[in-house]
Amino acid sequence: MSERIVVLEISGLEALHLAGIVGQFRDLLADSRTGDDPAVSRLMPDAYPDDQAASREFRRLTGGDLIERRSQDAATVLQTLGADGGEPTPEGDPDATIAVALGENEALAWMRTLSAVRLVLATRLGIQTDDDHRPDDPRFGVYDWIGYRLDGLIAALDRS
């Protein structure tokens, strides 16, 4: 039985922007080991919402592994974009469509990374509920675009 492949089509310019965003996310995760960032904390849900001390202990014990997995997922996204050594260099027309073929494990890494990036953006933009989202504010454009790409990836996985 062969592995399922999902093909994600994006423009060269989108690939460049996405690689930049995921690269910044990877850097945020690396920096999180030396600081306390609310956006990174949001990536680690409360295991015990009614017991703050137990939740802190759970994060202390599991947080490093979770951050490491998220870092590996981000590296997978960058590698499949051809940007594992930095940002991809657009060849030719930045509006040309690029087909990114993802195996099932790579597609899952993309889903986890795009979801995590959206959580970080939501924290930075102050989004806690749907009422906090202001589509008329241009700062929310990247948040919406990442959501659009995530929805497309989920739909593609459902079809395959």
Side-chain angles (χ1 to χ4, degrees):
M1 183 172 179
S2 63
E3 180 182 26
R4 296 184 322 171
I5 300 292
V6 174
V7 177
L8 179 67
E9 293 183 346
I10 59 177
S11 73
L13 187 58
E14 282 182 297
L16 185 64
H17 287 304
L18 186 57
I21 291 166
V22 173
Q24 290 175 37
F25 174 68
R26 181 189 56 195
D27 294 345
L28 174 69
L29 295 175
D31 292 344
S32 73
R33 296 162 204 258
T34 59
D36 188 25
D37 187 320
V40 175
S41 294
R42 193 165 178 188
L43 297 175
M44 295 183 268
D46 283 335
Y48 307 100
D50 296 333
D51 187 342
Q52 289 183 0
S55 281
R56 269 194 309 274
E57 182 65 6
F58 184 80
R59 281 186 179 138
R60 186 184 70 75
L61 294 172
T62 63
D65 290 341
L66 181 58
I67 295 298
E68 181 58 32
R69 188 186 89 194
R70 290 194 187 280
S71 295
Q72 290 171 359
D73 286 343
T76 296
V77 171
L78 292 171
Q79 184 271 325
T80 56
L81 283 171
D84 49 339
E87 291 188 1
T89 49
E91 297 175 12
D93 183 5
D95 293 326
T97 300
I98 297 171
V100 181
L102 304 173
E104 195 169 346
N105 289 333
E106 293 166 328
L108 292 173
W110 270 68
M111 285 178 46
R112 288 188 298 263
T113 298
L114 293 179
S115 294
V117 167
R118 281 194 92 219
L119 281 174
V120 168
L121 288 171
T123 302
R124 297 287 194 249
L125 293 170
I127 299 172
Q128 295 291 326
T129 68
D130 287 342
D131 293 336
D132 297 329
H133 183 262
R134 296 183 302 277
D136 57 326
D137 185 334
R139 296 177 305 148
F140 290 78
V142 173
Y143 177 82
D144 291 335
W145 173 63
I146 297 289
Y148 166 76
R149 281 297 173 195
L150 181 59
D151 287 344
L153 184 56
I154 291 169
L157 283 170
D158 282 346
R159 283 191 301 267
S160 61

